[in-house]
Amino acid sequence: MAAIKKKSLVDQVYETLRGEIITLRRPLGSKLNVNELQEKLGVSCTPIREAINRLQQEGMVVYENNVGAHILDLGPHDIIEIEQLAMTLHCAAIRLAMEHGERETIVAGLEKYLEEYRRAGSVQSEVTAVNRFVGVFYANCGNRRLDASMISIQGQQLLLRYIYANCLEERGSHPEDFEAMLEGARLGDGEAVCAALQANTDRQIPVLMEYVKPKD
C-alpha cells in the first residue's frame, strides 16, 4: 500500500487561495494582503508568501512594486491570449493522443467525464468535468513537458471556464461540442476533435468579453 502523503502548509494555503480566485470568491484585481491572510488562515507569513509566489508563477496573481500582490484582472486582450495559448496546447495534446494513445482508453475517459458534465449540479462540478474531459488527452499524449506547459496556464483557463459557466442559466446545457469531440476521438480524427474544441472556445469568448466589459 502506498504511503499517504500529507499536504504541506504551503500547499494548503495555495489550494485555498487558488480555489477562491478561480471561483470568484476573491474578485478579479483585488489585493492580497499578507497580514489579512495571516489573520484569516491562522498561519505565519512564510507559507502565505510562498503560496502567493506559486500563484504568481501560474499567472493568477500579479506583483507590482510599491503596490504589492493582487489577483489577475482580465481584459479582452487577456481573454484572447489565454484562449489562443490554451487551444494551441490542447490541440497539440489531442493530436499526440490520437497518434500515440490507446483509443479505447481515451474514449472511455471522455465518456466518463462527458456524463459528469451532463449531470453537473453546480458551476464547480461542471468546470471540473470539462477540465477532466480535456485532461484525458494530456494524460494519453505521452509528453510530460506538454502537460507541464498546460499546468502553467491551467489556473487562468479554469478561471475563464468558471466565469463562462457562471453566466449560463443551466448546468450541462451545451454538451454538443464535447459530444463532437468524443465522436472525433472514436474515429481517431484529431482534427475533428480540435475543430469541436475550437467551436466550444468560440462559444465562450463573446460571453467572457461581455463579462469583462466595463460597467457603466
Side-chain angles (χ1 to χ4, degrees):
M1 181 181 294
I4 297 175
K5 295 182 179 180
K6 294 183 179 179
K7 291 182 180 178
S8 70
L9 195 55
V10 174
D11 288 339
Q12 293 177 56
V13 173
Y14 162 77
E15 290 178 8
T16 296
L17 291 177
R18 189 175 187 270
E20 290 178 351
I21 293 169
I22 289 172
T23 57
L24 303 173
R25 283 175 284 169
R26 288 186 177 273
L28 298 177
S30 61
K31 188 174 181 180
L32 291 173
N33 185 289
V34 174
N35 292 332
E36 290 179 2
L37 290 171
Q38 278 185 260
E39 184 175 347
K40 177 185 176 181
L41 301 176
V43 298
S44 67
C45 65
T46 300
I48 292 174
R49 292 187 188 282
E50 290 186 24
I52 289 175
N53 183 59
R54 194 183 298 181
L55 289 165
Q56 185 180 350
Q57 293 174 354
E58 199 174 345
M60 300 185 69
V61 167
V62 178
Y63 184 86
E64 296 182 62
N65 291 331
N66 302 319
V67 176
H70 61 85
I71 296 168
L72 172 72
D73 199 3
L74 293 169
H77 189 66
D78 300 298
I79 290 170
I80 296 299
E81 285 191 341
I82 293 168
E83 295 288 24
Q84 284 178 340
L85 180 54
M87 274 300 304
T88 299
L89 296 173
H90 292 341
C91 287
I94 288 166
R95 293 182 180 111
L96 286 171
M98 289 291 93
E99 184 177 353
H100 302 296
E102 292 287 339
R103 193 181 306 178
E104 289 184 4
T105 301
I106 294 169
V107 169
L110 296 177
E111 288 174 340
K112 175 183 176 181
Y113 297 126
L114 176 56
E115 187 60 26
E116 286 188 8
Y117 172 83
R118 290 187 179 120
R119 295 186 177 186
S122 67
V123 170
Q124 190 163 355
S125 60
E126 179 175 313
V127 172
T128 298
V130 173
N131 188 51
R132 289 174 174 170
F133 183 93
V134 176
V136 168
F137 297 103
Y138 286 88
N140 291 275
C141 73
N143 189 319
R144 290 177 297 175
R145 286 176 172 80
L146 179 59
D147 202 11
S149 296
M150 182 56 209
I151 289 172
S152 69
I153 68 159
Q154 188 176 58
Q156 295 178 39
Q157 199 186 36
L158 280 172
L159 176 58
L160 295 188
R161 285 179 180 157
Y162 193 95
I163 291 171
Y164 173 70
N166 203 44
C167 290
L168 301 179
E169 294 183 359
E170 298 180 8
R171 306 278 59 82
S173 56
H174 287 292
E176 55 268 33
D177 300 326
F178 305 112
E179 290 168 349
M181 290 176 68
L182 172 58
E183 183 59 27
R186 285 179 175 142
L187 298 172
D189 189 343
E191 297 310 311
V193 179
C194 290
L197 183 58
Q198 183 65 62
N200 183 257
T201 298
D202 292 342
R203 187 192 305 279
Q204 293 182 53
I205 287 177
V207 177
L208 295 171
M209 290 297 194
E210 183 65 25
Y211 183 88
V212 302
K213 187 169 69 175
K215 307 297 188 291
D216 296 331

